[in-house]
Amino acid sequence: SNLVMALRHQISLGEGLIPSIGFQFRLRLPVMSEYYQIDNVAPSFVFVTSQQLSKSWTLITNLGSSWNGLNSTPTGLYTINLSCAFTDTFGAFVENYGSLTEGTFETRFDTGVAWLVTPNLQLDLLGGYGSNHGLQDYFISTGFSWRTSRGKTRP
């Protein structure tokens, strides 16, 4: 429903109890259908940490802010994600995420699976649920991620 351009950058690579830290920046562009049209470019930024709990389990946290493209009111964002790698190419996750806008807090839960097709291409399937302010919502989503790197090749 929206065209998004994004950039991710790894700030530091964690080891042991020290988490890896990254930064993500996204821009939603006002170029889609009238039903999902936004008036302005809508930026979003997120600081990400990743903590390897064991060989298979990882804890990921996000903290950031975004704008909706319709007004100048920012929304604070958070995510807490617990992931399990069943094999080198297949894994699953469960997460809690939420937002805070002008004193209104909302939270949701989702879960999904990911398949690493190649070292640089990942396919995702996920679904989720939220119940906030007397309203319930559900979703299902698919996606793909393509990783590029400059310099050193990563495993």
Side-chain angles (χ1 to χ4, degrees):
S1 62
N2 289 302
L3 179 61
V4 177
M5 295 175 52
L7 169 71
R8 290 182 177 171
H9 177 70
Q10 184 173 16
I11 296 170
S12 67
L13 184 60
E15 188 176 336
L17 296 176
I18 299 171
S20 295
I21 300 171
F23 179 76
Q24 177 176 285
F25 179 75
R26 292 183 289 183
L27 285 177
R28 281 185 18 198
L29 303 175
V31 295
M32 298 308 285
S33 73
E34 64 182 274
Y35 299 110
Y36 298 102
Q37 187 65 29
I38 57 178
D39 297 329
N40 303 298
V41 172
S44 172
F45 67 90
V46 179
F47 287 96
V48 180
T49 67
S50 177
Q51 178 72 45
Q52 195 69 38
L53 302 176
S54 72
K55 183 178 177 183
S56 300
W57 293 91
T58 304
L59 178 66
I60 299 170
T61 62
N62 298 341
L63 184 61
S65 188
S66 71
W67 286 259
N68 64 15
L70 301 173
N71 60 45
S72 61
T73 304
T75 298
L77 307 167
Y78 79 92
T79 304
I80 302 169
N81 173 300
L82 184 61
S83 300
C84 181
F86 298 114
T87 69
D88 289 342
T89 60
F90 185 75
F93 70 91
V94 62
E95 70 183 359
N96 170 243
Y97 63 98
S99 63
L100 178 64
T101 306
E102 294 183 331
T104 301
F105 177 71
E106 294 188 359
T107 188
R108 291 178 172 77
F109 294 89
D110 65 7
T111 188
V113 294
W115 174 38
L116 191 60
V117 180
T118 72
N120 294 316
L121 175 64
Q122 178 175 298
L123 303 178
D124 305 300
L125 174 64
L126 60 122
Y129 168 77
S131 180
N132 295 284
H133 317 291
L135 299 173
Q136 294 181 344
D137 57 75
Y138 306 86
F139 74 90
I140 188 165
S141 179
T142 61
F144 74 93
S145 299
W146 179 260
R147 177 175 64 180
T148 62
S149 62
R150 293 162 71 182
K152 224 193 254 189
T153 303
R154 296 179 206 152

